[in-house]
Amino acid sequence: SRSLGRMEYKGMRVDKPYLEFLETELSKVVAQKEGILQPYWRGAGEFNPNSTQHVGKVLFVDGIYDEATGKFVDRQGPWVERNKKSEQWKTDKKTLRAIAEKTGCKFTSNLLEYRSAHKALSGFVHDIKILSEYDGYLHTNFHLHGTSTGRLSSNNLNMQNLPPWLAGFNIKKIFVPDDDDEVIVNLDYKGAEIRVFTAYAPDPQLIEALNNGLDVHSWFTQEIFGIPYEEVERLKETDKKMKALRTTVK
């Protein structure tokens, strides 16, 4: 906790010129995409790209004008699912990408670009600007007991949820070392929790898997589901579910 306290107090230095550059450029992208998306709206008032109801109305109710047929065509299809509770059409990233790929819909591709730029601007750039305004450093809050898995967590800003790239811009480049002759190093210890777990419960099969360089999540999936390791590597969806189960088993 003392180390975390020192880290919070020290903070991460923010490159203000680069932050201002990102704010300007991302604002341009957001405004440009809003202008492109607005003509698709046939409802009252202005189109809100952040509204699932507005997006659903354009895609699945009013439809989008098709120059080939001269008609408004909706984007319903087997690649689109309904929300089980609300019965509304889904408009998440996965659905929009599927529509763009299956139909070549320019509305969805522009909407995806808008969302990426808007997320970078409102979710990171603006927050970092406000939080670092006092001394040019971002002083995040670290929590030792903030997760059920025992992992370190943080907020104001959530540094563990900081993407490297968004909307074509390097977000992590916002943070710079104090001195020009220093560098920031990003290290990730592969399977750290599992290795600690293995030290306390020295299972010979798990030790062998680690020594052989196998993917731990895939190995757990193999052992519990009885699926060959090579096949597990190809079953990414099953592997994602197994990660949650593996945490519960621990």
Side-chain angles (χ1 to χ4, degrees), residues 6 21 31 39 68 88 93 98 100 107 177 207 243 249:
R6 288 195 294 269
F21 164 77
Q88 292 183 345
K93 183 189 292 186
F107 172 81
I207 293 173
K243 286 181 184 180
V249 170

Side-chain angles (χ1 to χ4, degrees), residues 114-164:
Y114 165 85
R115 284 186 175 179
S116 180
H118 185 267
K119 179 181 178 181
L121 185 63
S122 62
F124 297 102
V125 173
H126 283 167
D127 287 350
I128 293 172
K129 182 179 180 179
I130 294 171
L131 293 169
S132 63
E133 193 171 12
Y134 173 68
D135 62 356
Y137 285 75
L138 178 68
H139 302 274
T140 187
N141 301 120
F142 291 105
H143 305 283
L144 278 172
H145 309 292
T147 65
S148 59
T149 59
R151 289 187 175 187
L152 187 69
S153 62
S154 65
N155 69 318
N156 291 330
L157 186 82
N158 185 354
M159 297 297 290
Q160 286 137 306
N161 194 37
L162 192 68

Side-chain angles (χ1 to χ4, degrees), residues 67-121:
E67 294 182 358
T69 62
K71 298 179 180 179
F72 285 90
V73 181
D74 64 59
R75 300 306 182 188
Q76 299 178 24
W79 50 84
V80 182
E81 298 179 358
R82 285 183 182 270
N83 188 299
K84 293 181 180 179
K85 292 184 178 180
S86 65
E87 289 297 318
Q88 292 183 345
W89 295 103
K90 290 185 177 182
T91 59
D92 58 310
K93 183 189 292 186
K94 180 181 178 181
T95 300
L96 293 178
R97 280 181 174 173
I99 294 174
E101 292 173 0
K102 299 291 184 181
T103 68
C105 178
K106 293 182 180 179
F107 172 81
T108 50
S109 58
N110 279 291
L111 181 60
L112 284 167
E113 291 175 9
Y114 165 85
R115 284 186 175 179
S116 180
H118 185 267
K119 179 181 178 181
L121 185 63

Side-chain angles (χ1 to χ4, degrees), residues 22-23 64 75 86 119 206:
L22 284 181
E23 185 177 31
I64 296 174
R75 300 306 182 188
S86 65
K119 179 181 178 181
L206 180 55

Side-chain angles (χ1 to χ4, degrees), residues 25-38:
E25 294 303 312
L26 287 168
S27 297
K28 290 179 182 178
V29 175
V30 168
Q32 178 194 38
K33 295 304 175 182
E34 285 177 338
I36 293 174
L37 295 170
Q38 183 61 44

